[in-house]
């Protein structure tokens, strides 16, 4: 089989799916760039449909390709230079893969003790980091409000380091999702840069939703049971939303581990 | 005075200082992009030498310009489109400023109870986030090992959100800086993704240096007094170096606040 060129239908589809959120939603896919992301997805049991490797990237891609082939995943070669022109990342590794989009639905909100709620996060790096932190801290999942960046945007996927396949990622209306969590008694704690309850006093050992608002507009009129503030040194502006989420998630994990038998 | 065009010496210098680490070091300057970064620098007492505003950005830049003028800082206009061609950021706001580079020297390591040590951090976003987190958590300062990205790289400066002007930023040989800290009894705790002491048991209330290694190669042969590991949930890969530093810095701040009178 000849290596696929720029005009091959597979290559056109990869390009489209990397750039067009509606097209990748309709197709139910996520595109992964790079062998490390492919490894991370496979390690989390992602359903990878196909792997594409540039002919000039065979060497670096060997272990990723072996892992794919061992799982019976089809792989195809891309002609020289094609991966670089298709990919979203400037310095591409020559490895691209298509995975099925995880099927998170808001029904997942009816279980679990620690939810991260990203009510409106626009920056892909921040959202990806939040998903990565939620997984690493052992949170149940992340609920992402409409108006946020698409969690299957290639920059989000990359910043998540594969964590989009490791925990439930749920999208919906932020207010409706918060109301759903409240119906089963989950405490909804918003994070604010100032004037909230001190983090040390916050009830983090009971079922909790940690709610992060818009990067600059803050929490707005979301339905909450309380607001917490991370203590900060004099001169500092607030942390960015991803840093704040990371601190809150790991403090929650720490407090819950202290309480656990 | 006419607005400066692309070939004006000031504009050529801005371009050079944004792109060339050696040139900005020789000149002892940092270039700030955007009104928010300028505000953050002024709020921290940065010595801003000049402010440049695109003629098409007068409206958004008004408060930044007023703040500069109130401090007697010279400001010049840039002809239409010039700021965009000069700046490092893709969507520039049309505001650029030149500030004196903070004069951190390794002598600063002889005081203070909480140092962050970035032994070898290559990613500008990660290093900037680490500086921002160190300031927000009330750390004494950050020590940056040779081989790391230049802390006055525009991407680092942007990710630091002005914190490079808020705490001492010291550059030097990582091993020599760690030995200097040890001479006055500062405990050097490396951060590792696995097999370290549990964070809860780490001695964080005594004078401490939190040491983060290379993004992929880890701590290597650095002189350390101990290694700590942030407890993480099953499936997760390690956090990135900036997230790990954020968790360690805020846990240190929390523990020291609990102990404080």
């Amino acid at each position: 089989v000849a290596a696929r060129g720029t005009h091959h239908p597979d290559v056109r589809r990869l390009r489209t799916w990397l750039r067009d959120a509606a097209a990748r939603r309709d197709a139910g896919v996520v595109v992964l760039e790079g062998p490390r992301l492919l490894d991370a997805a496979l390690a989390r049991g992602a359903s990878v449909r196909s792997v594409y490797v540039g002919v000039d990237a065979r060497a670096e891609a060997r272990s990723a390709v072996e892992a794919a082939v061992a799982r019976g995943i089809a792989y195809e070669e891309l002609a020289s230079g094609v991966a670089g022109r298709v990919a979203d990342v400037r310095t591409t590794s020559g490895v691209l893969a298509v995975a099925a989009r995880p099927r998170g639905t808001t029904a997942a909100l009816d279980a679990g003790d620690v939810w991260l709620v990203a009510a409106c996060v626009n920056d892909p790096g921040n959202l990806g980091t939040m998903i990565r932190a939620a997984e690493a801290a052992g949170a149940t999942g992340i609920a992402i409000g409409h108006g946020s960046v698409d969690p299957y945007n290639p920059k989000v996927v990359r910043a998540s380091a594969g964590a989009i396949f490791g925990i439930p990622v749920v999208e919906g209306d932020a207010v409706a999702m918060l109301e759903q969590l409240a119906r089963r008694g989950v405490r909804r704690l918003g994070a604010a840069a100032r004037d909230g309850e001190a983090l040390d006093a916050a009830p983090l050992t009971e079922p909790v939703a940690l709610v992060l608002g818009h990067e600059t507009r803050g929490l707005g009129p979301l339905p909450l049971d309380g607001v917490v503030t991370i203590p900060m040194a004099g001169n500092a502006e607030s942390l960015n939303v991803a840093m704040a989420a990371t601190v809150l998630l790991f403090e929650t994990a720490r407090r819950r581990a202290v309480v656990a038998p």
Side-chain angles (χ1 to χ4, degrees), chain A:
Chain A
V1 184
R4 271 104 166 91
T6 316
H7 300 293
H8 190 282
D10 283 11
V11 175
R12 289 174 179 276
R13 266 197 299 268
L14 282 169
R15 263 190 77 85
T16 303
W17 289 337
L18 281 165
R19 282 160 185 74
D20 181 340
R24 61 182 171 251
R25 186 182 313 117
D26 292 347
V29 297
V30 190
V31 180
L32 310 174
E33 297 173 287
R36 288 180 59 189
L37 202 48
L38 174 58
D39 279 345
L42 291 171
R44 288 166 175 82
S47 168
V48 177
R49 293 179 184 173
S50 42
V51 174
Y52 299 87
V53 177
V55 290
D56 30 17
R58 280 184 195 134
E60 311 104 87
R62 187 172 305 144
S63 80
V65 169
E66 281 170 6
V69 169
R71 286 167 171 81
I73 299 165
Y75 96 98
E76 304 292 345
E77 290 199 331
L78 300 176
S80 183
V82 169
R85 263 169 284 150
V86 168
D88 176 71
V89 242
R90 237 176 269 174
T91 52
T92 178
S93 62
V95 177
L96 293 159
V98 179
R101 197 175 172 115
R103 297 174 179 278
T105 71
T106 52
L109 296 169
D110 289 332
D113 281 357
V114 181
W115 278 90
L116 180 65
V117 179
C120 187
V121 173
N122 297 136
D123 181 84
N126 282 343
L127 187 63
T129 300
M130 289 166 77
I131 300 170
R132 185 175 184 176
E135 185 198 52
T140 308
I142 180 168
I144 300 170
H146 293 320
S148 300
V149 59
D150 174 23
Y152 304 105
N153 172 306
K155 291 189 179 67
V156 178
V157 174
R158 195 158 61 247
S160 90
I164 53 159
F165 298 106
I167 54 167
V169 175
V170 167
E171 294 173 85
D173 175 72
V175 171
M177 293 192 295
L178 287 169
E179 283 169 352
Q180 186 179 342
L181 287 161
R183 280 198 289 278
R184 62 179 180 96
V186 176
R187 274 184 93 90
R188 302 159 301 181
L189 297 180
R194 55 189 66 79
D195 301 334
E197 188 176 11
L199 184 54
D200 255 18
L204 299 176
T205 55
E206 288 154 59
V208 68
L210 303 166
V211 184
L212 282 292
H214 187 274
E215 278 113 335
T216 55
R217 293 195 303 273
L219 291 164
L222 295 171
L224 299 172
D225 303 302
V227 174
V228 292
T229 292
I230 299 168
M232 270 183 287
N235 220 349
E237 312 249 313
S238 64
L239 299 172
N240 75 36
V241 69
M243 296 163 77
T246 302
V247 171
L248 292 173
L249 285 162
F250 277 88
E251 173 63 4
T252 302
R254 190 191 68 78
R255 293 266 288 282
R256 296 177 67 89
V258 171
V259 169

